[in-house]
Amino acid sequence: RIVMNRRFQLSAGTIVGVAALLGFLLLWGGSVTQPASAMEQMAENIRKAKSYKAVMTAEGQVNPEAGKPPVKHKMTGTIYWLAPGSSRSDFGGLAPEASGGPSLEADVTKIDLPDESREGALREIIIDHKAKTFDKVELPKGFPSGEMVAKLGDFSGQADRDLGSKEINGKKAHGFEVDMQKLFPRPDVRERGVAEIWLDGESSLPVLVQFKMATDRREQTMRIQDFQWNIDLDPKLFDTTVPKGYTEVTSRYAVPPKSGAAKTGAK
């Protein structure tokens, strides 16, 4: 659930803030109407899309108590999304440690899939390639997906600022800036945030999206680019078979998060 206030404890005594980093960028929702603006046209086209692949960079810092230097982190990777709600993120680099300590080396795959046994619920898999663990995370019904680009398909309204046009990867693109609470309204979320969205002049689909968020202790930027929309994705990307040599564990949120943080419990 990247880049993020959710926290997971992975096996082998390794606590990484990978899911926390991702969770910092979720917990949002929206509504759908007929398109009446460039942003709403984007939303309609995302709702019609079957898939995408993109490159992600998430970086930021955790600000500890006064007198201590900030702890910086940076992760890069690839995101895959398949309609109607499957996503996969493969990323590595320096991840924020769950308790706010020094950033840790991480190499992680995160897979979200619709839970066919519970309508509206998700199944989540976190594969820690360093600890060799395969973590099945039990999410409460109604817990939001962390795939924020797909969630832009729920947007209804106008952008806050027109950023004009420029060329991105050989494509003419038009940019917009939108307050995160306007994009993903959640009155119980305290993060301050703004999104910068650049749309392909022909398809009205994103070619670059950047989310910037901050709290008193955490700053986070997620940049998603090099989009490939409506491509065929290998079904093996969403395979939930435990890799050979990995230990299977199960984590579970005790309660749905109310302020960007979630409690976890071991099996």
Side-chain angles (χ1 to χ4, degrees), residues 140-256:
K141 186 174 181 180
F143 195 96
S145 166
E147 214 317 281
M148 295 181 71
V149 173
K151 281 183 170 291
L152 292 177
D154 294 336
F155 178 69
S156 176
Q158 300 283 340
D160 295 316
R161 188 160 72 99
D162 190 314
L163 300 177
S165 298
K166 68 178 180 180
E167 188 172 291
I168 299 177
N169 294 335
K171 296 180 178 180
K172 185 177 180 181
H174 201 97
F176 300 91
E177 186 177 274
V178 190
D179 184 272
M180 291 288 290
Q181 280 287 354
K182 185 174 180 180
L183 272 177
F184 312 116
R186 281 291 299 271
D188 57 332
V189 174
R190 299 176 182 177
E191 286 85 355
R192 305 178 299 275
V194 63
E196 185 176 308
I197 301 168
W198 290 87
L199 303 178
D200 186 312
E202 295 183 2
S203 69
S204 292
L205 287 168
V207 294
L208 187 152
V209 179
Q210 181 169 274
F211 301 107
K212 287 187 176 182
M213 280 145 291
T215 65
D216 292 338
R217 291 199 59 206
R218 185 185 297 269
E219 300 173 20
Q220 181 68 48
T221 298
M222 175 192 264
R223 185 179 179 90
I224 307 171
Q225 56 192 344
D226 298 336
F227 281 90
Q228 299 176 53
W229 286 94
N230 296 312
I231 61 174
D232 293 329
L233 296 177
D234 189 341
K236 292 181 180 178
L237 288 169
F238 306 98
D239 184 14
T240 58
T241 302
V242 181
K244 185 177 181 179
Y246 283 61
T247 300
E248 185 174 354
V249 295
T250 300
S251 297
R252 178 168 53 88
Y253 284 122
V255 294

Side-chain angles (χ1 to χ4, degrees), residues 3 21 57-61 73-75 219-223:
V3 303
L21 183 147
T57 300
E59 57 187 322
Q61 64 184 37
H73 56 266
K74 181 176 181 179
M75 303 193 72
E219 300 173 20
Q220 181 68 48
T221 298
M222 175 192 264
R223 185 179 179 90

Side-chain angles (χ1 to χ4, degrees), residues 17-40:
V18 170
L21 183 147
L22 289 171
F24 187 62
L25 294 174
L26 53 82
L27 308 176
W28 312 92
S31 59
V32 177
T33 62
Q34 292 298 315
S37 67
M39 288 290 295
E40 289 179 329

